[in-house]
Amino acid sequence: MTEIHLTGRAASPGLAIGPVTVLTAAIESRRVPGDPAEEAAALKAAIEAATAELAELVEAQRGDAADILKFQVAMLEDDALAEGAFDAIEAGTAADQAWCAALDAEIAGYRSAEDEYFRARVADLVDIRDRVLMRLNGADTSAAIAGGSIVAGEDISPSAFLAADWTRGGAIVLAAGSSASHVAMLARARGAPMVVGLGPLSWDGRPPALALVDGDAGTVIFDPEPETRRLFEQRMSAASVARAIADADRVKPALTADGRRITVLLNIAAPDDLKGLDPAICDGIGLVRTEFLFEASQGLPDEETQVAVYRRILDWADGRPVTIRTLDAGGDKPIAGLTIDGENNPFLGVRGIRLALSRPEVFRLQLRALARAAVHGALKVMLPMVAVPSELERARELLEEEIAALETKGIACARPPLGIMVEVPAAALCAGDFDAAFYSIGSNDLTQYTMAAARDIGAVADLNDTANPAVLALIARTVEAGRARGVEVSLCGDAAADTRLTKALLATGLTTLSVSPVAVARLKATIATVSP
């Protein structure tokens, strides 16, 4: 076959070569209508098996990956989702056809919804539909994606991505998709190259055997000629050498070409993220997501559990600053028994600090645990989704009350610096009005809210761009407010790890970036090339 060159949008950096695995667009029906009671029992068993399968995946994940899968588990556990399917089965329809029809109708409703949040959930519904169908029809999903393969298709679900072994290499190339989607975020965190927006992948019945993927340039070559492959492998070898040098240098300070010192911090979702890491690779931890403590299966964490976890992280940091974000639930991160069900637009509803202040008994306990842990290291507390100064002030009052109560009881505690995440445009525009000890810019939500474009919707993916002048202007304005007040400003969103943005971000005046551990070496190497 003649080699095929396609150009799309870079979603996750890196180079990869491997055999092509084509994701099927649909699952064939293989069942025939049987006794309605048996069909209903079969669908019930398939839903339970799919739920258990997802729950098992959740146990192996942390942070955003776990949140995505928990959302799908919650949908499957909602009896209303399958109600139409069971009605159709009772009328004589085969279980798989009834389920597919019911979910397709639900998907169509979500896809046509005016609310951006619901349109963004289409991928989750498709994932749920296909997972149950595969269980219902006896398909084996465990080996769907072989390690080291180039996965090609229209799109890929979060659970399919998470079920694959990316430690063996491989890449993702999609006809549609978004560079700001959940899967793209997961790919970047795991170092898997990804290209989206390639357009129709038509093989004329003969899928390609091999592909070369350039996740930096957003290009893919299917069935390359021998010389094309040889040159690409040379590039991969050179990139591997450069990566080895960067890895060796990641314990060194991050310096620009003209010698400016840039602080590089880590984003982590749980203490396990720090296993095997040398603290010398970073200047501290810029974001600890505490949502992992509030998993529904474990119930709300008690004070001692929280103190112990925070201490583990502080001990690892060995005196370096550690910024712990208070519970950031709501939006696309529901927590059973804590967040509000049925909000029309959860992204604009009760989430982050709003939820914390509405559940003071939960918030106070976390603040108390943080104050106790602060005795053991340079702990800083960060509040998510702050929009107005009164939210910060109310949180400060609660913190002071809990510290006073601890001191009255003779329990050792300390008063940690209290800062805010800047992810709401209102906070960025008026950052100077907040009496915060520090600012940390959450580029994901700041971009989404500024551009009115969700990260999970391919049709608006080009708009969800941190490099847009409006977003960069808000970042620069926040940096200026921090400079005027003499407090630190960092950026801990996805944009910090996107080396295509490094120069633009530093040009705003930022001197502190926080990224996942896997991104540290690449970021430091890129910083070294930046000059005024």
Side-chain angles (χ1 to χ4, degrees), residues 310-323:
Y310 303 149
R311 282 200 61 179
R312 279 180 60 194
I313 297 169
L314 288 165
D315 289 345
W316 179 89
D318 194 24
R320 296 170 179 82
V322 173
T323 300

Side-chain angles (χ1 to χ4, degrees), residues 14 31 131-132 144 166 169 211 224 289 306 376 389 393 408 419 424 433-434 456 508:
R31 295 179 58 86
R131 183 172 291 275
V132 172
W166 297 103
R289 303 177 178 93
Q306 292 194 52
H376 303 283
E393 294 313 312
T408 298
V424 177
D433 295 343
F434 293 82
D456 284 344
T508 67

